[in-house]
Amino acid sequence: MSSSSRGLLFIVSAPSGTGKTTLAERLVQILPNLRMSRSYTSRPARAGERDGVDYNFVSRAHFEGMIARGEFLEWADVFGNFYGTSRLDAEALQASGQDVVLVIDVQGAAQVKKSHIDHTSIFVLPPTFEILERRLRGRSADSETAMQKRLAAARAEAGCYVDYDYVVINDQLEPTVVRLQEIIAAERSRMHRMRTVAQDIIETFRTSDK
Ligand code: 5GP
């Protein structure tokens, strides 16, 4: 893709514990033209998280102001905290020719779909519910009540895979990253996105006819 053309928008969603953030971070390490959009959230930063790096951490009032001004491409209330993607941030990245990946929940993905913004959506599933539960319990210091809430949410979210363009099973990190790269490469190669480049090549055919 030439750097002067507009970047693509990818959405990755998955039930929590599926490893979507790790996958997306790995993808942007590998693909120089792909950037992760930094979300805004009203949730307090966890230990080790940095403002402006992991998220833009803002107050609830600030977030509500952004909603009122229509500054979000999408936003959602997840477990009682607000999360959202700035329309301007995503637009600036795409306008500069970079592809953008949003790692967002199913509510946010549904909003993007409804808005008819050009995008490609990918749903990541764990191999089984049991594996997801093991991963969640292994990494979290949540109370049993909070854990049950997360597991119930994961059950509800998993069924949303039908609304996505692609479904990928995260069995092992690296092979899954390769499958995601293949999806991105396939989307970049779609005829309507290649038309300008292809047309330039066709021009060279014309001149060599003479
Ligand atoms: P966490 O608090 O664990 O970082 O994220 C909780 C959930 O919020 C995850 O499912 C994550 O994908 C989702 N999330 C993070 N950023 C955004 C966003 O900008 N928009 C939406 N809709 N969901 C987000």
Side-chain angles (χ1 to χ4, degrees):
M1 195 178 85
S2 83
S3 61
S4 60
S5 61
R6 193 178 156 74
L8 307 184
L9 182 65
F10 293 93
I11 289 181
V12 174
S13 301
S16 82
T18 310
K20 58 182 180 287
T21 310
T22 311
L23 287 169
E25 283 170 353
R26 187 83 188 96
L27 260 184
V28 297
Q29 267 176 8
I30 296 169
L31 299 175
N33 199 46
L34 183 71
R35 295 277 302 274
M36 228 158 131
S37 165
R38 189 180 313 110
S39 297
Y40 285 75
T41 184
S42 69
R43 121 164 128 60
R46 297 183 186 125
E49 283 183 333
R50 282 177 300 160
D51 184 29
V53 177
D54 300 284
Y55 281 104
N56 295 307
F57 293 101
V58 296
S59 68
R60 234 181 142 77
H62 184 102
F63 199 105
E64 283 165 347
M66 290 180 74
I67 297 174
R69 292 190 296 274
E71 289 176 18
F72 287 115
L73 177 66
E74 61 74 35
W75 67 273
D77 181 335
V78 185
F79 298 124
N81 293 308
F82 291 137
Y83 296 84
T85 306
S86 153
R87 201 183 286 283
L88 269 182
D89 290 355
E91 180 53 41
L93 286 171
Q94 285 186 265
S96 73
Q98 303 229 267
D99 293 341
V100 179
V101 57
L102 310 181
V103 183
I104 62 177
D105 86 317
V106 296
Q107 304 171 73
Q111 283 171 37
V112 177
K113 190 172 178 179
K114 238 165 118 183
S115 69
H116 299 293
I117 292 167
D118 187 28
H119 72 286
T120 300
S121 58
I122 307 167
F123 199 85
V124 184
L125 278 171
T128 65
F129 180 78
E130 194 195 336
I131 290 172
L132 177 137
E133 180 169 5
R134 215 183 304 141
R135 282 182 191 158
L136 269 179
R137 288 189 184 279
R139 76 167 194 206
S140 134
D142 277 359
S143 66
E144 186 53 29
T145 318
M147 181 56 65
Q148 287 306 329
K149 229 170 97 182
R150 271 186 194 280
L151 293 172
R155 282 200 168 91
E157 283 175 354
C160 295
Y161 78 88
V162 292
D163 297 321
Y164 286 69
D165 301 315
Y166 294 91
V167 177
V168 166
I169 316 299
N170 186 15
D171 37 14
Q172 283 183 357
L173 180 69
E174 289 305 327
T176 308
V177 170
V178 170
R179 279 201 294 281
L180 292 172
Q181 278 182 266
E182 288 166 350
I183 291 171
I184 291 171
E187 285 296 317
R188 283 182 184 152
S189 304
R190 287 178 72 108
M191 191 277 282
H192 68 278
R193 295 186 175 126
M194 288 301 291
R195 197 185 279 274
T196 312
V197 175
Q199 212 48 54
D200 287 348
I201 294 171
I202 297 308
E203 287 304 319
T204 69
F205 279 57
R206 292 222 174 90
T207 47
S208 63
D209 271 354
K210 283 177 196 162

